[in-house]
Amino acid sequence: MKLSGPAARRYLERPDPAHAGLLIYGQDAMRVALKRQQAVAAIVGPDAEAEMRLTRLPGADLRRDPAAVQDAMRAQGFFPGPRVVLIEEATDAGAPALTAALADWRPGDAALVVTGGALNARSKLRKLFETDRRAVAVAIYDDPPSRDEIAAELARAGLAQVPPDAMRDLEALARALDPGDFRQTLEKIALYKYGDSAPLSPADIAECAPVTMDAGLDDLIACAADGRLPELCTLMRRIEGQGIAPVSIAIAALRHFRALHAAASAPGGPAEGIGRLRPPVMGPRRDRMLRQAEAWGAVRLEAALAVLVEADLSLRSSSRAPAMAAIERALMRLASMGRR
């Protein structure tokens, strides 16, 4: 039997104990591993390995010792409860051994959980699990988690109620991060909110999200975009003291103003454009960038980009002008433009 979409998600959360086998396969090994971990925990519980109710067998060993799978499925441990035989990274070479194991399975034997890579439609392993009525095959695609999947992860982490604006930022974060990093971020958010009765906010998510930009550079460029010239000069001295290269400042400023230009030029307006940015912008920084995109407008942002491109070319040329002074002059010009 083959499952996909919501049916597959529900099955992995609560596998049928009457089924003999489960195949989980996909291109992304991390996504497959997370779904396998979820399914195994649902079948045998969190303490199965300590109670010796989980047996691991490498997929590469199936061809050399095909009887090992059947022996492991029939073996009885010291602790009562359901058992799982886990075959990781299986290939079509192990299909004969798994065929015999599924055919020989009886109620009371261990469940068979198999993981594989990107198996095509002609795969013997796929056909085995898709055509057997007592087995299930689940394909894991590289799509970002849906809203329902994020809600399920939040519930497991202890965050059942999430406001719409916070869920919007979590969906953007899920599109930008790898599955493992996203799960760790959710766990970090749950710890951050432990004992806090206030609902989850975009600011909370921004505090826990992985940092993608140096905080000092972020503040410096925000001063230029907001037209805060006195603060810009103070921050410039601090950035210079940290030893950050002028080219790094130029690259960060170009990235920021290009994002503003993309948001201001979006057909649905700056709010829609901000939501489409990659990597996603969340929390107070999102509100600030939205305000900046609306204040500057697409035309003035094009002029700002021209100033930054000119400064970047000057920094990369053979000019003998002081590099830090050149980028500071460019940012001061932007701050003056922002004030107007």
Side-chain angles (χ1 to χ4, degrees), residues 50-89:
E51 297 177 355
M52 295 179 288
R53 292 186 290 110
L54 175 62
T55 303
R56 299 176 183 269
L57 295 176
D61 292 352
L62 296 183
R63 189 172 183 177
R64 184 175 64 251
D65 187 9
V69 184
Q70 293 170 272
D71 293 342
M73 292 173 70
R74 289 287 175 86
Q76 296 293 328
F78 294 104
F79 296 89
R83 294 173 293 111
V84 161
V85 175
L86 175 62
I87 313 293
E88 297 188 273
E89 299 180 2

Side-chain angles (χ1 to χ4, degrees), residues 256-271:
H256 183 83
F257 276 84
R258 279 172 180 155
L260 293 181
H261 183 262
S265 305

Side-chain angles (χ1 to χ4, degrees), residues 33 38 46 51 107 111 117-118 131 133-134 139 158-159 166 194 201 209 255-256 275 286 293 300 318 330 336 338:
Q38 178 186 12
E51 297 177 355
T131 57
R133 290 181 299 175
R134 300 179 303 171
L159 295 171
Y194 181 76
S201 69
R255 185 187 302 121
H256 183 83
R286 181 186 188 279
R300 295 177 65 222
S318 58
S336 299

